[in-house]
């Protein structure tokens, strides 16, 4: 990604500036001044790279941004420490040129202070990177949990739709069965009524036949 590329470039520039600032202890006079100028130019380029990294970090999703901001904070601290080293080198430059850096003990003391400061900076940077990795892992876990939760919610919604559809089908089937039951009952009533009418008509015809026979025999 662009963020990874910018971060690698920034780290390479910071390593180069650190190496050059350590080499300042071995430079004297005009060569030392020129080396300081080169370090300042490199540090300015590192600040520009830091700006590019910051833009990419701000463009990250919210779940990943906190880890990127922690790493960005560590890079800013490293740049601030390197800038402080260069500032001390610039302040000490007139004295070094005046004295010619003839005191090896002082040079060794300064070198030791620089190495100690760098060791502290590296330790802080390592702790920050470890915290950043943990934050990224936590953010990844949260994102995966959100994806699983969304999938479960989608499945539940689909099952709810299926149940609602099945319930509708059952209601429609029950309504059809009720109408069929009523229709069968109506047909049964009509059949009973038809049978009763037929029986009455047969009885009436039998009575008429008997009456006709009676009158015929009577005459």
């Amino acid at each position: 990604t662009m963020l990874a590329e910018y971060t690698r470039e920034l780290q390479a520039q910071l390593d180069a500036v650190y190496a050059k600032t350590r080499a300042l202890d071995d430079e004297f006079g005009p060569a030392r001044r020129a080396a300081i100028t080169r370090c300042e130019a490199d540090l300015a380029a590192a600040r520009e790279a830091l700006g590019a990294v910051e833009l990419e970090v701000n463009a990250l999703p919210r779940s990943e941004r906190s880890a990127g901001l922690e790493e960005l904070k560590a890079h800013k601290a490293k740049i601030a420490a390197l800038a402080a080293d260069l500032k001390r080198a610039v302040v000490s430059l007139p004295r070094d040129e005046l004295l010619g850096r003839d005191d090896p003990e002082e040079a060794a003391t300064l070198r030791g202070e620089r190495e100690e400061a760098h060791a502290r900076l590296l330790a802080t940077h390592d702790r920050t990177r470890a915290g950043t990795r943990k934050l990224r892992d936590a953010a990844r876990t949260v994102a995966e949990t959100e994806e699983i939760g969304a999938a479960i919610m989608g499945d539940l919604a689909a099952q709810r739709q299926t149940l609602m559809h099945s319930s509708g089908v059952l209601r429609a089937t029950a309504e059809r069965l009720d109408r069929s039951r009523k229709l069968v009952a109506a047909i049964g009533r009509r059949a009973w009524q038809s049978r009763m009418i037929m029986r009455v008509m047969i009885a009436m015809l039998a009575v008429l036949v008997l009456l006709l026979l009676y009158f015929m025999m009577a005459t």
Side-chain angles (χ1 to χ4, degrees), residues 45-153:
R47 287 194 177 98
E48 292 180 0
L50 179 67
V53 171
E54 187 170 8
L55 288 176
E56 292 296 326
V57 168
N58 291 330
L60 289 173
R62 184 174 298 178
S63 59
E64 302 177 10
R65 194 178 303 164
S66 58
L69 289 174
E70 289 296 328
E71 190 170 356
L72 186 67
K73 184 178 179 181
H75 288 312
K76 288 182 178 180
K78 195 169 185 179
I79 287 178
L82 291 172
D85 289 342
L86 279 178
K87 186 176 180 180
R88 285 192 295 270
V90 172
V91 170
S92 64
L93 185 60
R95 184 192 61 184
D96 293 340
E97 291 180 353
L98 178 64
L99 298 178
R101 293 296 299 265
D102 295 330
D103 190 353
E105 183 177 352
E106 181 182 358
T109 301
L110 290 175
R111 187 179 296 107
E113 291 177 354
R114 288 180 184 274
E115 291 177 353
E116 182 179 357
H118 180 65
R120 289 196 301 269
L121 181 62
L122 287 178
T124 302
H125 183 64
D126 291 339
R127 287 194 298 269
T128 303
R129 288 178 66 87
T132 300
R133 284 194 297 270
K134 291 180 180 179
L135 287 174
R136 285 179 176 172
D137 292 340
R140 188 181 303 110
T141 302
V142 170
E144 291 174 354
T145 303
E146 289 177 352
E147 291 177 359
I148 293 172
I152 292 174
M153 292 299 294

Side-chain angles (χ1 to χ4, degrees), residues 172-188:
T173 303
E175 291 175 357
R176 293 192 185 96
L177 289 174
D178 186 61
R179 287 197 297 269
S180 299
R181 182 181 58 80
K182 291 178 179 178
L183 180 61
V184 170
I187 292 173

